[in-house]
Amino acid sequence: MTEPRTPSVAASPSEPSARAQRESAQTAEDKIFVASQGQLMWWRFRKHKPAIVGGIIVILVYLVALFCEFLAPYDPVKYDQKDTYAPPQRIRIVDQGKVQSPFVYGLTQSRDPVSYRMMFQVDQGKKYPVRFFVRGSAYKMWGLFEGDLHLFGIDDPEGSIHLLGADRMGRDVFSRLVYGARVSMSIGLVGVILSFVLGITIGGFSGYYGGALDTVVQRIIEFIRSVPSIPLWMALSAALPVDWPPTKIYFGITVVLSLIGWTWLARVVRSQFLSIREEDYVMAARLSGTGEVRIIYRHMVPAFMSYIIAQMSLSIPNMILSETSLSFLGLGIRAPAISWGVLLQEAQNLRAVALAPWLLAPGLAVVLIVLAFNFLGDGLRDAADPYSR
Amino acid sequence: MLQYFLRRLVLTIPTLLVVSVISFTLIQLPPGDYLTSYMAARAAQGEMMDQAAIDAMTRQYGLDQPMYMQYLRWLGKAVRGDFGQSFLWNRPVSELIWERLGLTVAISLAALLFVWAVAFPVSVYAATHQYSFGDHLFSFFGFIGLGFPDFMVALILLWIGYRYFDTNLGGLFSDAFIEAPWGWPKFLDMLKHLWVPMVVLGMGGTAGLIRTTRANLLDELHKPYVTTARAKGLTETKLLFKYPVRVALKPFFATLGWQLPNLVSGATVIAVVLSLPTTGPLYLQALLTQDMFLAGTIVMMLSALTVIGTLLSDILLVLVDPRIRYGGG
């Protein structure tokens, strides 16, 4: 709680400025006394620099996921045999010592005389300027609006721009990565919200009413937890019918992931309920005749809500990781649909990875977002209790 | 104390029973059974099976009986060590699992030892040298360990091995030893390959353990009794290891409960990537082909490991920290 600086005893400054300083310190201190809990939290969160960075990354990636049709230069399923395993192209601004608008060099192909593999060489003779807001492949944004505007791309149909190379079928890895963000990022969010609803309801009832209900719920949670999670997820996802459409599979996987996720949330909520139930202010509320429902929602839930939210932000990366692992094994999201785990399946073949290391890019995206969420969660957890130290 | 242990031991039996019901339900969940997928595969090859053969197989595997009868039959045999027949491999399930269980446990234990061996000195160093260069370096590595999914680490290691050293880091044996009978040379060969899964499996756990232990130790180091001990002239080493470290070590034992099964099941994903001869790939294959007795037995086995791991960690916790008391024990 160091946000308002304690009035420093100024040694030398002139009288008026010292007074101004004292007054501003005074008002700052007043500010902290009248600040709402939300403001206190924000002040505390603001000081946690890694959390700010993490938060910005998380927001950016969610924006990417939201506007993936617009940000991806290509249709993620468009394949082109001649681009098979094309290497990433760098955007350059310097050509023969002169700075100019961004462009990429073209690639020429030749067959390796020994291995008959397709080889790509950067061809400095061919230059394709990178254009912004170009008309490209048509898409349907969110399945609602038709459009063909892309943030960047290349006008010349002869050339191509693969920022992260192309895969086995010559599909643009960058576009696929951007599209994959939508499924991978939202599955964590939806899954956590689902386990949140389950956890807070069941844990709340269990903690508030206690007794037999509590015992039964606790036993159930123990049983679920005594089955190791990854094999359980695998078994449940394997149980999803193969002929389901991608959207149904998506929700199936989300439900499967949150089926286990709610258990620890229920535990946290229950233990919070148990301890807060005994607090004096709850007793005071009860003595003054407040109804049960009002006690729970007005007096008890706010006391641990921020804590729960911080915990949630720490469990989203786990969901994302689980989805990635499941899809990677072929048990999660399935091939025509795109998620980071599905993309990483391409990298399962060692020979392919040796040939095209850029296939590992989705993995790095997973690492980035998991770290960002962890930093954000750390900051939120510290901010959740603004009255501590 | 003994009473508490005994009660915990007895309590594991109903837990395992419920777990067996869950395992059995799980493997029954996919629509159809092994026969339907088997017949689909045969039909795809252009072979038609006559109804009599199908009926015979249905009867042979007991697929015509109601669910609970199938469960009871499975359980009854399981108690006697007979976990049924794998449809896919056409061999007893227990044989298949036993073959791989030894290596699975060996790898998991190696990873657990790795976690402890690395986490202990590092967390003690990081806590005693808070905010030093080493501390920041270790927390940086810790975040990497936390952020990288383990299969990603495995893939990157494989790629580096393949690309720059021209060796295949996957597998647990060199080609020459795969079929060889167990012996000293084969064992040495395994040790040469063991480090990859050991490091990959241990990384995430190590990062988490360092974080908690460092935080715990820091809390302890600021307590008055440490100051008292220092004022009395105790040497720093003795002071450190006699009390604060002992208290801070609790997460080491507390994590055993979930480390054990986690290592075994986490191995599932990694084992597929590294093509290790453990239960992981066997389980994945069993799930994909609806080889239900095999899949069910593996779920059951992993759950049993969790239950045993939790029991072990609770017992160890009581031994390490006598202040912990469980319900009247």
Side-chain angles (χ1 to χ4, degrees):
Chain A
M1 195 56 29
T2 53
E3 181 56 31
R5 266 160 242 110
T6 45
S8 57
V9 185
S12 59
S14 56
E15 185 55 28
S17 88
R19 187 201 273 157
Q21 212 172 359
R22 222 175 8 248
E23 264 168 14
S24 78
Q26 193 65 45
T27 49
E29 204 153 293
D30 284 344
K31 226 166 87 186
I32 206 160
F33 287 137
V34 297
S36 69
Q37 184 158 357
Q39 262 170 325
L40 289 176
M41 282 183 193
W42 168 242
W43 286 340
R44 181 139 182 154
F45 178 74
R46 212 167 46 178
K47 285 197 315 195
H48 202 296
K49 290 286 176 286
I52 298 277
V53 176
I56 291 173
I57 293 178
V58 166
I59 291 172
L60 282 181
V61 176
Y62 272 112
L63 283 177
V64 167
L66 200 56
F67 297 107
C68 65
E69 288 98 342
F70 170 65
L71 291 170
Y74 290 107
D75 185 350
V77 292
K78 194 203 94 184
Y79 58 90
D80 192 347
Q81 281 303 340
K82 76 176 188 348
D83 277 348
T84 297
Y85 292 135
Q89 287 163 287
R90 264 180 54 200
I91 294 184
R92 293 159 200 270
I93 51 169
V94 179
D95 184 34
Q96 286 149 5
K98 273 183 296 195
V99 177
Q100 49 184 220
S101 60
F103 66 94
V104 290
Y105 284 126
L107 296 169
T108 44
Q109 296 168 322
S110 58
R111 261 196 208 280
D112 188 298
V114 184
S115 65
Y116 292 107
R117 235 179 58 203
M118 208 49 125
M119 305 284 283
F120 289 90
Q121 260 95 33
V122 174
D123 183 357
Q124 305 234 347
K126 280 189 274 182
K127 265 170 44 182
Y128 301 107
V130 178
R131 301 247 186 265
F132 290 95
F133 301 106
V134 292
R135 304 260 162 209
S137 56
Y139 55 78
K140 217 166 180 194
M141 182 88 113
W142 307 321
L144 292 175
F145 312 107
E146 288 187 25
D148 59 355
L149 197 66
H150 296 264
L151 178 65
F152 67 94
I154 280 178
D155 286 336
D156 198 339
E158 283 295 300
S160 60
I161 178 164
H162 296 304
L163 290 185
L164 291 172
D167 67 0
R168 185 170 43 91
M169 294 168 72
R171 293 171 296 199
D172 182 38
V173 173
F174 179 76
S175 300
R176 291 174 69 75
L177 184 68
V178 167
Y179 270 83
R182 181 169 284 179
V183 168
S184 291
M185 294 298 289
S186 63
I187 219 162
L189 206 59
V190 178
V192 162
I193 290 172
L194 215 63
S195 29
F196 178 74
V197 172
L198 277 174
I200 209 164
T201 317
I202 300 175
F205 273 112
S206 168
Y208 193 81
Y209 291 105
L213 178 75
D214 188 37
T215 318
V216 172
V217 169
Q218 290 313 307
R219 284 295 92 78
I220 292 175
I221 289 178
E222 261 166 45
F223 284 136
I224 295 181
R225 293 182 74 97
S226 68
V227 186
S229 52
I230 294 179
L232 186 57
W233 277 327
M234 284 169 69
L236 285 172
S237 338
L240 299 178
V242 187
D243 49 2
W244 271 11
T247 43
K248 243 174 151 182
I249 292 274
Y250 172 87
F251 281 108
I253 295 287
T254 322
V255 170
V256 165
L257 289 179
S258 40
L259 265 182
I260 302 170
W262 71 268
T263 53
W264 67 266
L265 244 167
R267 281 217 155 163
V268 174
V269 172
R270 169 180 171 269
S271 66
Q272 293 282 337
F273 256 105
L274 283 182
S275 61
I276 293 173
R277 198 171 55 171
E278 310 300 328
E279 291 281 337
D280 288 342
Y281 68 86
V282 174
M283 179 62 80
R286 195 167 291 140
L287 285 180
S288 45
T290 320
E292 292 281 277
V293 177
R294 191 176 159 82
I295 288 182
I296 292 181
Y297 285 102
R298 184 71 202 158
H299 298 283
M300 291 174 75
V301 170
F304 61 79
M305 203 52 186
S306 47
Y307 176 73
I308 299 283
I309 289 175
Q311 291 296 315
M312 266 171 64
S313 73
L314 283 172
S315 70
I316 292 180
N318 284 336
M319 291 257 174
I320 294 176
L321 275 181
S322 313
E323 182 274 323
T324 312
S325 308
L326 281 180
S327 306
F328 180 72
L329 288 177
L331 289 170
I333 308 290
R334 290 181 194 129
I338 302 167
S339 82
W340 288 342
V342 173
L343 293 184
L344 278 174
Q345 271 185 311
E346 291 272 329
Q348 236 175 21
N349 181 348
L350 196 54
R351 213 154 272 137
V353 177
L355 207 65
W358 48 89
L359 291 179
L360 289 174
L364 295 180
V366 173
V367 173
L368 178 78
I369 200 66
V370 167
L371 283 180
F373 262 118
N374 270 310
F375 284 127
L376 176 67
D378 271 354
L380 284 178
R381 191 172 46 191
D382 284 353
D385 188 5
Y387 299 108
S388 73
R389 242 183 324 143
Chain B
M1 197 78 89
L2 187 70
Q3 207 187 355
Y4 165 72
F5 293 151
L6 283 179
R7 208 177 61 219
R8 283 298 309 266
L9 211 60
V10 173
L11 263 179
T12 53
I13 295 171
T15 313
L16 282 178
L17 261 181
V18 176
V19 163
S20 79
V21 175
I22 295 178
S23 320
F24 191 79
T25 324
L26 271 183
I27 56 183
Q28 293 289 354
L29 271 180
D33 48 36
Y34 179 73
L35 262 189
T36 46
S37 54
Y38 177 75
M39 283 189 306
R42 293 290 289 269
Q45 287 168 8
E47 278 180 61
M48 288 310 291
M49 292 180 71
D50 57 6
Q51 196 54 42
I54 294 172
D55 287 346
M57 278 183 83
T58 312
R59 254 195 315 282
Q60 186 194 340
Y61 295 125
L63 294 175
D64 52 346
Q65 282 161 354
M67 202 66 84
Y68 67 93
M69 276 307 292
Q70 287 190 38
Y71 168 72
L72 285 180
R73 252 177 64 149
W74 180 64
L75 189 70
K77 282 186 182 165
V79 173
R80 278 172 276 143
D82 175 10
F83 290 97
Q85 192 87 0
S86 160
F87 299 120
L88 181 67
W89 300 72
N90 208 7
R91 284 173 56 192
V93 166
S94 47
E95 213 175 275
L96 277 169
I97 293 182
W98 272 120
E99 243 174 42
R100 288 160 172 250
L101 193 64
L103 283 174
T104 311
V105 171
I107 291 176
S108 310
L109 282 183
L112 190 66
L113 285 181
F114 172 81
V115 169
W116 284 1
V118 174
F120 177 66
V122 167
S123 49
V124 170
Y125 175 86
T128 47
H129 299 75
Q130 197 187 4
Y131 302 135
S132 68
F133 174 72
D135 183 25
H136 285 303
L137 187 75
F138 286 132
S139 30
F140 175 71
F141 277 120
F143 274 119
I144 290 188
L146 214 66
F148 273 80
D150 36 20
F151 66 89
M152 191 68 199
V153 178
L155 273 178
I156 291 175
L157 271 181
L158 278 181
W159 174 63
I160 291 175
Y162 187 84
R163 183 85 172 66
Y164 295 101
F165 301 100
D166 205 25
T167 48
N168 186 2
L169 292 176
L172 210 48
F173 303 103
S174 307
D175 291 342
F177 287 102
I178 290 177
E179 296 295 323
W182 273 102
W184 198 236
K186 184 169 179 175
F187 182 70
L188 287 180
D189 183 62
M190 184 181 89
L191 287 188
K192 261 188 273 174
H193 289 79
L194 195 61
W195 70 272
V196 181
M198 193 170 91
V199 170
V200 172
L201 268 175
M203 221 174 83
T206 313
L209 199 55
I210 290 176
R211 243 166 90 130
T212 32
T213 312
R214 176 178 173 274
N216 275 6
L217 194 52
L218 277 177
D219 281 351
E220 284 300 313
L221 285 176
H222 291 301
K223 285 194 175 161
Y225 76 85
V226 176
T227 318
T228 313
R230 193 169 285 140
K232 285 193 163 189
L234 214 61
T235 58
E236 276 299 309
T237 332
K238 198 170 178 190
L239 169 79
L240 185 65
F241 286 97
K242 183 94 184 167
Y243 301 105
V245 167
R246 207 174 132 185
V247 178
L249 272 188
K250 260 192 288 179
F252 274 73
F253 303 104
T255 48
L256 186 71
W258 51 264
Q259 283 281 13
L260 200 64
N262 232 24
L263 288 169
V264 176
S265 64
T268 311
V269 189
I270 295 166
V272 173
V273 178
L274 291 176
S275 51
L276 301 175
T278 57
T279 45
L282 193 69
Y283 178 58
L284 180 65
Q285 216 177 2
L287 278 180
L288 290 175
T289 53
Q290 297 191 15
D291 191 350
M292 57 181 204
F293 288 135
L294 187 54
T297 311
I298 294 178
V299 173
M300 181 77 205
M301 186 194 78
L302 291 176
S303 315
L305 272 177
T306 322
V307 175
I308 293 169
T310 319
L311 185 70
L312 274 181
S313 83
D314 284 354
I315 291 174
L316 276 175
L317 270 181
V318 177
L319 290 181
V320 171
D321 190 350
R323 287 176 305 181
I324 297 181
R325 286 277 177 274
Y326 291 96

